[in-house]
Amino acid sequence: MSQETMSRRDALKLGALGAAGAMLSASQAMAAAPTEKDVKFDEEYDVVVIGTGFSGLAAAAKAAERGYKVLILEKMGRVGGNSVINGGGMAVPMNKYQKKHGIEDSGEKFIADCLKAGLGINHVEMLQTIVKRSNDALEFALKCGAKFQDVKPAWFGGHSAPRTLVTENMSGSGIIQPMAAFVEKLPGCKILTRAKMDDFVMSNDGTSVIGVTARINYRFDKNLLNDDIENKSGEKKVYRAKKGVILASGGFAMDKVFRKMQDPRIAEDQDATNHDGATAGAMLKAFQIGAMPVHIDWIQQGPWASPDERGFGVAPLLTQQGL
Ligand SMILES: Cc1cc2nc3c(=O)[nH]c(=O)nc-3n(C[C@H](O)[C@H](O)[C@H](O)COP(=O)(O)OP(=O)(O)OC[C@H]3O[C@@H](n4cnc5c(N)ncnc54)[C@H](O)[C@@H]3O)c2cc1C
């Protein structure tokens, strides 16, 4: 039985052979990226962005505000990925709502909190970037039309100060929906849903990314063991990106094959809080052309997502209550 014809149930039955299947999947995903001589471009943009979560939309907005013609590809039927289903909590050290409520905070405190929660393996320069830029990110969300509860910032676990702003609807959709509407109105910016990036297109000498291959009218199928490899839906398009391609394809918690390669303790029937399309395909393509992964086997586990409970389940609530 080939990997492609294997049903999900058959694959799950394989148990111990799962890891071998995973290796096969990875090698299938690793076919060499096409170069300019292998393709004919259908359309040309300055920037192509992969993904419509917070990162993709923010990057697209910045590029469009600089006058670039931007194409944003989203493989799912709606925008937002994990960002649109998230809890709507945005931790911003030294934000204006803290000042209004007389709350003292500092960048040093924020970094110390993150290092403690992150067992010291965080990249400190990234944390410094959050300290420097998170108020800009907040202003950008407000400019797009996001609405936050105008109350004292919330004191979330792991933070040594109340610094988390929560959207009015207590969901990331409170940021993503206005942000997507804002981005769509920017001149030169186009969002395509059900449009899956399949691969990068490289320059003939292989040194730079000059575009992507993609499929439009793509239909993600959550019943496949590995949608990135098995799903053949949609029609092929090739997009040139004159200035660059921005990969903002999010995480891979729903990729039963790849997550098990990273941490064999994660059973195939373990649920996750992520959106269905959180798979590793685009990220693997980036590794193939030389991107260097860090920390990807640090997969957050919680008392939720057991095979007996969908999504968050009741376990976190019981934990909060000390039961
Ligand atoms: C249930 C839940 C609650 C959370 N709550 C919070 C919270 O309250 N506060 C907080 O700070 N963080 C929270 N997080 C984490 C936070 O939501 C994520 O870190 C953040 O949304 C990641 O944004 P992103 O843009 O990187 O990825 P995403 O938002 O996942 O966007 C990636 C997008 O790329 C698309 N994509 C992937 N591959 C391709 C491809 N090949 N072609 C085209 N498109 C592709 C995906 O479909 C997706 O739409 C939560 C996460 C979850 C799952």
Side-chain angles (χ1 to χ4, degrees):
M1 190 169 14
S2 78
Q3 181 77 9
E4 288 191 7
T5 56
M6 190 190 296
S7 76
R8 186 165 174 273
R9 188 180 293 271
D10 290 336
L12 296 184
K13 272 194 217 146
L14 284 178
L17 288 177
M23 299 303 288
L24 174 65
S25 305
S27 60
Q28 278 177 310
M30 288 294 182
T35 55
E36 187 167 14
K37 64 179 166 8
D38 305 319
V39 300
K40 183 175 168 300
F41 288 105
D42 295 297
E43 290 172 31
E44 188 170 288
Y45 294 85
D46 294 313
V47 176
V48 175
V49 177
I50 317 302
T52 57
F54 296 136
S55 355
L57 290 180
K62 280 287 156 202
E65 283 176 347
R66 285 181 194 175
Y68 293 138
K69 187 178 168 196
V70 183
L71 175 67
I72 309 156
L73 300 176
E74 170 54 57
K75 71 178 182 180
M76 304 303 278
R78 67 166 186 183
V79 298
N82 279 339
S83 305
V84 78
I85 57 166
N86 100 345
M90 183 170 180
V92 182
M94 300 166 294
N95 68 63
K96 60 189 181 191
Y97 300 84
Q98 285 178 311
K99 286 179 193 136
K100 184 170 157 188
H101 290 277
I103 297 164
E104 300 245 330
D105 200 2
S106 70
E108 290 73 29
K109 269 195 200 174
F110 175 80
I111 290 177
D113 293 346
C114 293
L115 285 169
K116 190 171 170 200
L119 306 177
I121 65 164
N122 320 53
H123 290 277
V124 174
E125 65 280 11
M126 302 273 190
L127 298 174
Q128 284 163 345
T129 301
I130 297 177
V131 169
K132 277 196 206 117
R133 301 302 310 277
S134 56
N135 275 291
D136 294 339
L138 171 62
E139 287 308 320
F140 174 67
L142 292 168
K143 181 170 104 175
C144 291
K147 298 227 172 344
F148 293 90
Q149 297 169 20
D150 193 6
V151 292
K152 195 173 159 187
W155 199 331
F156 274 32
H159 294 272
S160 60
R163 60 167 76 101
T164 303
L165 312 172
V166 181
T167 51
E168 278 185 358
N169 69 353
M170 297 171 79
S171 159
S173 62
I175 302 173
I176 281 292
Q177 280 163 0
M179 199 185 267
F182 176 87
V183 166
E184 270 189 314
K185 278 192 211 123
L186 290 171
C189 227
K190 179 156 111 183
I191 301 179
L192 286 183
T193 53
R194 295 200 200 288
K196 185 187 190 214
M197 172 265 196
D198 278 325
D199 213 336
F200 296 99
V201 178
M202 306 299 292
S203 57
N204 284 333
D205 63 4
T207 57
S208 48
V209 173
I210 57 162
V212 295
T213 64
R215 274 173 289 157
I216 55 166
N217 300 317
Y218 169 84
R219 298 223 155 230
F220 181 83
D221 184 350
K222 68 175 182 178
N223 296 312
L224 297 174
L225 174 66
N226 193 327
D227 180 89
D228 285 316
I229 291 170
E230 296 171 68
N231 191 330
K232 305 291 177 209
S233 66
E235 300 107 54
K236 186 170 174 182
K237 290 276 177 194
V238 189
Y239 301 111
R240 187 192 284 278
K242 289 190 287 180
K243 297 281 180 196
V245 173
I246 296 173
L247 185 65
S249 57
F252 58 84
M254 297 305 268
D255 195 318
K256 293 178 169 40
V257 174
F258 188 71
R259 72 185 192 188
K260 196 167 181 185
M261 287 175 80
Q262 299 306 316
D263 186 341
R265 295 169 300 176
I266 305 177
E268 283 93 345
D269 64 349
Q270 186 168 322
D271 200 1
T273 57
N274 284 208
H275 79 113
D276 288 338
T279 66
M283 190 176 68
L284 284 170
K285 292 295 178 182
F287 297 167
Q288 178 195 14
I289 60 165
M292 178 65 73
V294 294
H295 293 164
I296 56 170
D297 59 348
W298 281 81
I299 298 172
Q300 183 189 28
Q301 305 262 8
W304 50 80
S306 92
D308 308 323
E309 298 179 14
R310 292 290 304 161
F312 277 110
V314 294
L317 299 175
L318 298 178
T319 313
Q320 273 170 14
Q321 291 159 19
L323 297 172

